């Protein structure tokens, strides 16, 4: 079964710190991978989409990388701010079924 | 801007009632999805549709049905609501192989 795992489930960091969120997946034959942000009680917002042929994508302070051979992706957040506090979810398109989601990492940035 | 609209933000229903959750997207997307999200379980796919009048079962279709009579609208139906269907319901849409766009979610409570 194709699975997506995010560890840790929760992370707390002081404001200004650079941080990395991790995502691992069980099958290297992916079409693309997306990172989402979810604020409490709200829907998900797509942050970055990495196609299988790409190694990374950047948007502002966010940088997502993809290593298909090792089944891993990372989301790097530079100079974290309290407004970055949210749950971050990784989702993988394995091509056969709709996106498979990880359970997310709940990030708290402490002022 | 892309918009996925879910008809209700909060909904309270009684056990045994028939419940309709409506989702409308204004982007002419082929693909539409219904997920439910529960603490500790993450997002789980209920049903999805790749075209008008087409539907496919996701991971947890039991107790649910869907309708897609028009491209922009995808309805989730709880035939006879039960307390274990209390959850956050999220609708999403996308073109094939591209970013997924989510609605704001409907928090359903079944009493």
């Amino acid at each position: 079964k194709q699975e997506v795992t995010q560890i840790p489930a929760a992370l707390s960091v002081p404001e200004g710190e650079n941080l990395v969120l991790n995502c691992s997946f069980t099958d290297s034959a992916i079409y693309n991978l997306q990172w989402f942000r979810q604020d409490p009680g709200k829907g998900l917002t797509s942050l970055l989409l990495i196609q299988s042929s790409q190694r990374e994508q950047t948007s502002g302070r966010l940088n997502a990388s993809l290593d298909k051979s090792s089944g891993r992706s990372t989301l790097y957040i530079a100079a974290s701010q309290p407004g970055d506090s949210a749950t971050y979810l990784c989702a993988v398109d394995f091509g056969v079924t709709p996106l498979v989601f990880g359970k997310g990492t709940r990030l708290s940035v402490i002022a | 801007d892309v918009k996925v609209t879910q008809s209700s933000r909060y909904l309270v229903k009684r056990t045994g009632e028939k419940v309709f959750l409506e989702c409308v997207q204004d982007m002419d997307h082929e693909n539409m999805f219904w997920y439910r999200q529960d603490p500790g379980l993450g997002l789980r796919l209920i049903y999805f549709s790749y075209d008008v009048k087409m539907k496919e079962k996701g991971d947890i279709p039991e107790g649910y049905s869907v309708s897609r009579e028009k491209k922009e609208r995808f309805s989730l139906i709880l035939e006879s609501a039960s307390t274990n269907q209390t959850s956050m319901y999220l609708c999403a849409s996308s073109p094939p192989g591209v970013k997924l766009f989510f609605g704001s979610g409907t928090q359903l409570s079944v009493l």
Side-chain angles (χ1 to χ4, degrees), chain A residues 32 34 38 41 43-44 101 103, chain B residues 9 35 37 40 97 100 102-104:
Chain A
N32 60 58
Q34 291 186 51
Q38 186 178 29
L44 282 69
F101 282 82
K103 292 183 179 179
Chain B
R9 186 72 186 89
Y35 294 87
Q37 186 176 33
L100 205 57
F102 279 85
S104 299

Side-chain angles (χ1 to χ4, degrees), chain A residues 3-10 20-25 33-37 44 73-75 87-92 100-107, chain B residues 42-43:
Chain A
E3 293 182 347
V4 177
T5 304
Q6 294 184 250
I7 295 173
V20 173
L21 305 180
N22 297 300
C23 172
S24 61
F25 44 93
L33 182 147
Q34 291 186 51
W35 282 94
F36 293 86
R37 170 185 171 137
L44 282 69
S73 175
T74 62
L75 179 66
T87 297
Y88 292 82
L89 295 98
C90 166
V92 178
V100 178
F101 282 82
K103 292 183 179 179
T105 295
R106 189 173 68 254
L107 173 67
Chain B
L43 268 81

Side-chain angles (χ1 to χ4, degrees), chain B residues 79-101:
Chain B
E79 298 291 343
S80 177
S82 63
T83 54
N84 64 13
Q85 292 178 310
T86 291
S87 185
M88 169 70 93
Y89 289 87
L90 292 162
C91 174
S93 75
S94 77
V98 187
K99 281 185 182 182
L100 205 57
F101 296 91

Side-chain angles (χ1 to χ4, degrees), chain B residues 62-86:
Chain B
E62 297 78 18
Y64 303 93
S65 62
V66 290
S67 172
R68 194 165 181 201
E69 294 296 318
K70 293 184 178 181
K71 191 174 186 180
E72 66 271 19
R73 186 182 296 270
F74 193 35
S75 303
L76 180 69
I77 304 155
L78 286 65
E79 298 291 343
S80 177
S82 63
T83 54
N84 64 13
Q85 292 178 310
T86 291

Side-chain angles (χ1 to χ4, degrees), chain A residues 55-68:
Chain A
R55 298 278 302 187
E56 63 179 85
Q57 281 284 340
T58 298
S59 176
R61 293 183 294 109
L62 305 179
N63 176 277
S65 69
L66 174 64
D67 183 346
K68 288 191 303 179

